């Protein structure tokens, strides 16, 4: 899933780089093995770093649920306190769907459980189709 949801061959600055962080040798080995397989399919050299998990810094507020923040009326309707945005499961799910990740059929099963109304569900569905990423 990781390798299919972004372009791992793009070279970015450190703050935007593609990375897999591992906690133990088993995770490191699995990450390395999947990278070898992904490289066979890639159109360029994979630049993703495989690094030990150390101190993790949360991104600034304006980076949190960035795709969802481009749709302020949805955020307002969710009534999520800005301080709680990073921890909101619903905001995380909607951020992905609005960004075009996931399948409409899965969203159709899930949207009511997310506590959103039909109008919002229809809007998110349209955004999914417009921004579809596979």
């Amino acid at each position: 899933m990781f390798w299919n949801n972004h372009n791992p061959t793009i070279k970015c600055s450190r703050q935007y780089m593609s990375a897999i962080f591992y906690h133990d040798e088993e995770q490191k080995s699995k990450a390395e093995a999947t990278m070898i397989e992904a490289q066979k399919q890639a159109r360029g050299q994979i630049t993703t770093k495989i690094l030990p998990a150390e101190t993790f810094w949360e991104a600034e507020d304006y980076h949190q649920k960035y795709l969802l923040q481009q749709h302020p009326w949805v955020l307002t309707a969710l009534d999520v306190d800005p301080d709680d945005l990073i921890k909101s499961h619903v905001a995380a799910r909607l951020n992905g769907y609005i960004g075009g990740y996931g399948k409409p059929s899965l969203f159709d099963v899930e949207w009511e459980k997310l506590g959103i109304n039909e109008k919002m569900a229809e809007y998110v569905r349209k955004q999914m189709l417009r921004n579809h990423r596979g």
Side-chain angles (χ1 to χ4, degrees):
M1 179 185 298
F2 174 81
W3 303 107
N4 294 330
N5 284 309
H6 76 295
N7 182 346
T9 64
I10 294 174
K11 188 158 180 109
C12 298
S13 63
R14 184 162 175 80
Q15 75 184 77
Y16 295 110
M17 73 180 183
S18 172
I20 297 174
F21 297 97
Y22 62 87
H23 292 276
D24 57 38
E25 288 302 312
E26 180 183 6
Q27 288 180 345
K28 180 181 179 184
S29 295
K30 287 180 180 179
E32 291 171 339
T34 63
M35 187 164 90
I36 289 168
E37 288 304 309
Q39 185 61 68
K40 293 175 186 176
Q41 306 297 319
R43 293 188 178 160
Q45 184 65 36
I46 289 179
T47 60
T48 299
K49 305 284 187 212
I50 299 174
L51 304 166
E54 296 174 344
T55 302
F56 184 81
W57 303 98
E58 292 179 353
E60 295 87 354
D61 289 346
Y62 64 90
H63 285 298
Q64 301 301 333
K65 314 300 185 282
Y66 178 78
L67 300 172
L68 183 59
Q69 287 193 53
Q70 305 313 301
H71 307 268
W73 83 265
V74 176
L75 274 176
T76 300
L78 288 176
D79 195 29
V80 176
D81 185 281
D83 293 334
D84 296 331
L85 188 60
I86 192 169
K87 296 175 183 159
S88 171
H89 171 76
V90 172
R93 301 296 295 159
L94 293 177
N95 186 66
Y97 284 133
I98 282 177
Y101 298 98
K103 297 180 180 176
S105 60
L106 296 176
F107 176 71
D108 289 340
V109 171
E110 183 178 25
W111 74 265
E112 288 183 278
K113 296 173 191 164
L114 296 174
I116 62 175
N117 62 34
E118 259 185 74
K119 181 180 179 182
M120 192 183 300
E122 185 57 33
Y123 179 82
V124 171
R125 193 177 296 106
K126 284 179 184 176
Q127 294 303 311
M128 283 180 72
L129 296 173
R130 177 185 297 164
N131 302 317
H132 180 69
R133 299 175 195 248

